[in-house]
Amino acid sequence: QVQLVESGGTSVQAGGSLRLSCAASGDTDNMNCMGWFRQAPGKEREGVAAIGSDGRTTYAGPVKGRFTISKGNAKKTLTLQMNSLKPDDTAMYYCAADSGHWCSGGYWGDPTVYAYWGQGTQVTVSS
């Protein structure tokens, strides 16, 4: 079992920056893919970024070059640095983890393959 708790969400003006954190506990040693997802009202949950156990990262097109995903030692902390924020980035942001090697393939952005989820943290970007 793995527990994930996100923090750092708040309201910010367009062009600003935020840093989201995800604290992981439990059996994190077996988590080979960790990622950030977001869900806006009326929309499906979508992958934002993911990082594998080898440290390789993957980003969704709309955030590439603006967001950076990183993880701390022992897979206990996952961070999402968000720069140049836009109103379209407004959403609930979720941390996710799974033992599968999804990060190295095309399934990294599919929420159904992740077994563990946090409760989410709200990010609101105003114009």
Side-chain angles (χ1 to χ4, degrees):
Q1 289 291 328
V2 173
Q3 295 77 42
L4 304 171
V5 179
E6 304 94 336
S7 62
T10 189
S11 297
V12 65
Q13 288 192 330
S17 297
L18 276 180
R19 187 178 181 87
L20 303 183
S21 295
C22 173
S25 59
D27 189 19
T28 60
D29 287 346
N30 291 325
M31 295 300 105
N32 292 305
C33 186
M34 300 183 74
W36 286 97
F37 285 74
R38 67 186 181 185
Q39 188 168 19
K43 295 187 177 181
E44 294 185 352
R45 191 170 297 192
E46 62 178 3
V48 174
I51 185 167
S53 55
D54 59 1
R56 292 185 180 183
T57 58
T58 306
Y59 296 92
V63 308
K64 198 171 293 185
R66 299 189 297 123
F67 292 9
T68 302
I69 188 172
S70 60
K71 61 181 178 180
N73 292 334
K75 305 174 187 177
K76 296 297 185 183
T77 304
L78 188 68
T79 300
L80 185 68
Q81 177 66 40
M82 306 187 294
N83 299 328
S84 302
L85 283 162
K86 304 175 182 180
D88 285 349
D89 295 320
T90 295
M92 185 72 78
Y93 282 73
Y94 298 89
C95 174
D98 196 80
S99 59
H101 292 275
W102 314 116
C103 286
S104 61
Y107 291 98
W108 73 270
D110 182 352
T112 65
V113 305
Y114 291 81
Y116 303 102
W117 291 87
Q119 83 289 349
T121 186
Q122 178 68 38
V123 172
T124 302
V125 184
S126 59
S127 58

